[in-house]
Amino acid sequence: MRRELSWDVIASHRERLMRLVRRRLPNVQDAEDCVQEAMLRAAAYDDLDRERVGPFLTSVALRLCVDHYRELERSRRLLRRAADVRAPEMPDEGVCDKDFGRWLLRQVHLLRGRERQVVLARAHGISTLEFARMHQISVKAAEGAFTRGRARLRLVCAKSLDGVAA
């Protein structure tokens, strides 16, 4: 036999829940939303004992507060990532970046064997995993060669920029 709770029984806990939630959520509207959601969940819960309504509402309300802060943190992280997106670059910056990329690609000839191969493969859109499979080497070896190649290119770039600045 299904025992339904009346809304009056659930609503009688509203003020207590508001005090409980209000201490945890700074915004009155968020606290009200949290309490209403907890009460709705209690009303939708089949076969909830009258004696368990209070603890059930308390537990649900506290979990909703935690969910609220998790969502705020998720939004904060998303905004921080979105804020890292650079402003649209000026046309001359794009031209300079492409020219620098072409210059850097010409410097790859300074690299040795496997380093040169993996850097050129990556420049053509081939992942280190694919490169490792194609050349029958371990992924670790391919990643190591790529890392060393990149480090050498950084040194070439740094030396070149030092020469320009001098």
Side-chain angles (χ1 to χ4, degrees):
M1 178 170 86
R2 188 172 163 213
R3 297 184 338 215
E4 291 187 15
L5 292 172
S6 72
W7 185 251
D8 293 333
V9 172
I10 295 169
S12 68
H13 293 273
R14 186 184 177 290
E15 292 305 316
R16 179 183 63 79
L17 290 174
M18 274 303 287
R19 285 191 307 274
L20 178 79
V21 170
R22 190 69 180 102
R23 287 189 300 244
R24 287 160 177 80
L25 299 177
N27 188 322
V28 176
Q29 290 84 8
D30 291 336
E32 182 66 39
D33 289 347
C34 181
V35 169
Q36 289 295 322
E37 178 68 24
M39 290 169 43
L40 283 172
R41 288 185 186 185
Y45 196 90
D46 291 338
D47 298 327
L48 183 61
D49 270 344
R50 282 175 110 64
E51 293 80 36
R52 297 291 307 145
V53 172
F56 178 84
L57 285 168
T58 301
S59 177
V60 170
L62 290 175
R63 288 182 180 143
L64 287 169
C65 289
V66 170
D67 289 347
H68 174 79
Y69 281 108
R70 282 185 182 140
E71 184 59 35
L72 282 178
E73 178 61 21
R74 238 181 261 120
S75 296
R76 188 181 64 76
R77 282 193 313 249
L78 179 63
L79 284 174
R80 192 172 58 227
R81 278 196 305 251
D84 287 345
V85 175
R86 295 190 315 166
E89 63 183 28
M90 301 299 292
D92 58 333
E93 290 175 358
V95 169
C96 289
D97 286 347
K98 285 180 183 177
D99 188 50
F100 176 72
R102 283 191 294 270
W103 175 85
L104 198 55
L105 197 55
R106 287 191 304 268
Q107 305 310 307
V108 172
H109 76 278
L110 299 172
L111 299 178
R112 295 177 279 208
R114 182 72 34 94
E115 293 170 7
R116 180 184 319 128
Q117 290 174 331
V118 73
V119 169
L120 287 172
R122 289 294 304 267
H124 289 99
I126 298 171
S127 72
T128 48
L129 177 65
E130 291 173 275
F131 179 85
R133 285 185 185 143
M134 289 168 35
H135 291 272
Q136 299 176 345
I137 61 173
S138 70
V139 176
K140 207 67 152 161
E143 288 173 349
F146 181 66
T147 302
R148 286 188 307 277
R150 239 180 26 193
R152 290 187 205 290
L153 285 175
R154 275 195 201 109
L155 283 173
V156 167
C157 185
K159 287 179 184 176
S160 178
L161 290 174
D162 284 344
V164 171

